[in-house]
Amino acid sequence: MLLCDIGNTTATFYKDRKIWSLDIDKFRLFTPDEKVYYISVNDNLEDILSNDIFVNLEPYIKFSTTYLGLGIDRAAVCYSIKTGFIVDAGSAITMDLMSNNIHLGGFILPGITTTLNSLKKISNRLDKPLNSQIDLDCIPQKTADAISYGIIKPIILLVEELSNDKPIYFTGGDGEFLSRFFKNAIYDRALIFRGMLKAIDENKEIIC
Amino acid sequence: MLLCDIGNTTATFYKDRKIWSLDIDKFRLFTPDEKVYYISVNDNLEDILSNDIFVNLEPYIKFSTTYLGLGIDRAAVCYSIKTGFIVDAGSAITMDLMSNNIHLGGFILPGITTTLNSLKKISNRLDKPLNSQIDLDCIPQKTADAISYGIIKPIILLVEELSNDKPIYFTGGDGEFLSRFFKNAIYDRALIFRGMLKAIDENKEIIC
């Protein structure tokens, strides 16, 4: 079974526990030879996705929430977790709270690379790479550390403040790195696909 | 006595407790009729500032620190405070810790407008204004609140975590807004000029 998470710049596939990506331009030329179960936040692919070989899982990813405007990619990630605090760290970082399959809300911050780029634009003096080895127990003593601390420390404080005793899940491109700052955090690159698989599993008769 | 804080896009003046600004292009055409005591982070004004009517205060703003590469504007702000946690909220937000005139270190995050702009560039869906009235005790239930929470909450957690029992000072364009989230915080728009005045006061014989 072939799954696909379609973003604005990349389409990411999942099959038999393997994950790979295509640029959207290449995805446009992709001619699948089996059904592609997908979710998409890309509004410019309607012509391609109208082909019956593409099956949109969005109608099947439903849970109780009062949140308005939750993107389908974020919803799919949340859908994979019954109870937990979920951090999806990509170009933006979303943090969401799930409790007994109910979505309690969430919030958004710029991702690590997005933040580094925004500081670089303010001044050349702030054009520094992330120091992934930074000691967060000491107040920084140089610009590169000051920037790295300003990126990582708030994420840690937010997770500590809001996760309470719930399990903490990390996913997304920077998820593995950030998960290392927590003793009991779970990193799972495939969280979004687990949500999609759950939706398929719960709607087998209709979908398959 | 006329003071001036020269940045990359703006020069800000202080005289008799009044503060006003000039764009750098207009500052280039400015012909002072009295001495201008200044600090500058702008490397492109050497021709203008070489005139004797401009007096650089940078050599007189000195305190004990092991921090490498502290900008002179940030140093002047810190120089105004004997003991305290200082938040300078402009296009970047710097947070610094002073204890008995010793600078213990500090860190940097993107400012409020910088963060809003960086999110907007990720996706149109994240193009939202700040909700300054957001309730930080509730986890957000819509995108505009999710973004505002993701901006304000980390700042509050950082200040709470690091200020300990020290007085908290806010300055910079967003300083007044952010200071409202703390019971005992002091907002002072003129902190940088107080540092400059202190440097002049301590070096009267040499400077004046």
Side-chain angles (χ1 to χ4, degrees):
Chain A
M1 183 172 282
L2 182 61
L3 306 184
C4 187
D5 162 32
I6 306 171
N8 286 305
T9 56
T10 312
T12 307
F13 292 89
Y14 178 92
K15 189 178 183 177
D16 301 335
R17 298 188 185 178
K18 282 184 198 129
I19 296 177
W20 68 99
S21 291
L22 283 183
D23 288 347
I24 285 301
D25 289 343
K26 287 191 180 151
F27 177 79
R28 287 182 172 282
L29 307 172
F30 167 63
T31 49
D33 50 15
E34 64 177 312
K35 284 209 168 182
V36 182
Y37 299 90
Y38 77 92
I39 56 171
S40 172
V41 296
N42 191 321
D43 297 329
N44 303 315
L45 296 170
E46 279 177 24
D47 48 336
I48 291 166
L49 299 175
S50 62
N51 185 322
D52 280 349
I53 204 160
F54 289 101
V55 181
N56 190 357
L57 293 177
E58 183 161 349
Y60 310 104
I61 294 170
K62 295 245 173 283
F63 48 76
S64 181
T65 183
T66 57
Y67 195 102
L68 295 170
L70 195 70
I72 185 60
D73 46 354
R74 197 167 148 202
V77 168
C78 290
Y79 197 57
S80 71
I81 302 296
K82 187 179 171 190
T83 293
F85 188 76
I86 307 157
V87 181
D88 187 348
S91 48
I93 297 174
T94 53
M95 301 195 186
D96 286 279
L97 201 53
M98 291 292 293
S99 182
N100 279 316
N101 293 319
I102 296 170
H103 177 250
L104 299 181
F107 50 94
I108 304 169
L109 20 164
I112 294 178
T113 306
T114 302
T115 302
L116 289 170
N117 286 337
S118 70
L119 288 170
K120 187 160 70 177
K121 268 177 221 152
I122 294 173
S123 161
N124 285 339
R125 297 174 195 216
L126 302 182
D127 183 2
K128 305 280 182 187
L130 192 79
N131 173 5
S132 61
Q133 303 300 317
I134 186 162
D135 179 357
L136 295 167
D137 295 324
C138 298
I139 191 157
Q141 300 300 330
K142 59 180 177 182
T143 307
D145 287 355
I147 289 170
S148 302
Y149 187 99
I151 290 175
I152 301 168
K153 188 78 176 179
I155 295 170
I156 289 169
L157 291 176
L158 285 165
V159 173
E160 284 176 351
E161 171 90 359
L162 288 150
S163 60
N164 290 320
D165 291 332
K166 292 194 170 55
I168 303 165
Y169 296 89
F170 283 88
T171 191
D174 291 318
E176 187 170 17
F177 166 65
L178 290 171
S179 72
R180 288 186 225 149
F181 293 95
F182 298 87
K183 264 190 196 158
N184 301 314
I186 297 149
Y187 166 69
D188 187 345
R189 189 183 172 194
L191 230 46
I192 194 166
F193 298 111
R194 294 199 202 294
M196 292 166 73
L197 287 171
K198 182 181 166 195
I200 294 169
D201 192 54
E202 290 176 345
N203 297 276
K204 265 183 207 153
E205 295 84 24
I206 316 169
I207 299 177
C208 301
Chain B
M1 184 172 282
L2 182 60
L3 306 184
C4 189
D5 162 32
I6 306 172
N8 286 306
T9 57
T10 311
T12 306
F13 292 90
Y14 177 93
K15 189 177 183 180
D16 300 335
R17 298 188 184 177
K18 281 184 198 125
I19 296 177
W20 68 99
S21 292
L22 282 182
D23 288 347
I24 285 301
D25 288 344
K26 286 190 182 153
F27 177 80
R28 286 182 174 281
L29 307 172
F30 166 64
T31 49
D33 50 16
E34 62 177 311
K35 284 209 166 180
V36 181
Y37 299 91
Y38 76 92
I39 55 171
S40 173
V41 296
N42 191 321
D43 297 328
N44 303 315
L45 296 170
E46 278 177 24
D47 48 337
I48 292 166
L49 299 175
S50 64
N51 185 323
D52 280 349
I53 204 160
F54 290 101
V55 181
N56 190 358
L57 293 177
E58 184 161 348
Y60 310 104
I61 295 171
K62 296 244 173 283
F63 49 76
S64 179
T65 183
T66 57
Y67 195 102
L68 296 171
L70 195 69
I72 185 61
D73 46 354
R74 197 168 150 202
V77 168
C78 290
Y79 197 57
S80 71
I81 302 296
K82 187 180 173 191
T83 293
F85 188 76
I86 307 158
V87 181
D88 187 348
S91 47
I93 297 174
T94 53
M95 301 196 187
D96 286 280
L97 201 54
M98 291 293 292
S99 182
N100 279 316
N101 293 319
I102 297 170
H103 177 250
L104 301 181
F107 51 94
I108 304 169
L109 21 164
I112 294 179
T113 305
T114 302
T115 302
L116 289 171
N117 287 337
S118 70
L119 288 170
K120 186 159 72 176
K121 269 178 219 151
I122 293 173
S123 161
N124 285 339
R125 297 173 197 218
L126 302 182
D127 183 4
K128 305 280 182 188
L130 192 79
N131 173 6
S132 62
Q133 303 301 316
I134 187 162
D135 179 357
L136 294 166
D137 294 323
C138 297
I139 190 158
Q141 300 299 330
K142 58 180 178 183
T143 307
D145 288 355
I147 289 170
S148 301
Y149 187 100
I151 289 174
I152 301 168
K153 188 78 176 180
I155 294 171
I156 290 170
L157 291 175
L158 285 165
V159 174
E160 285 177 351
E161 170 90 1
L162 288 151
S163 59
N164 289 323
D165 292 331
K166 294 195 169 58
I168 303 165
Y169 296 89
F170 282 88
T171 192
D174 292 317
E176 187 170 17
F177 166 65
L178 290 171
S179 71
R180 288 186 224 147
F181 293 94
F182 298 87
K183 263 189 196 158
N184 302 314
I186 297 150
Y187 166 69
D188 187 344
R189 189 182 171 194
L191 229 47
I192 194 166
F193 299 112
R194 294 199 202 294
M196 293 165 72
L197 286 170
K198 182 180 167 194
I200 294 170
D201 191 55
E202 289 177 346
N203 297 277
K204 264 182 208 156
E205 297 82 25
I206 317 168
I207 299 176
C208 300

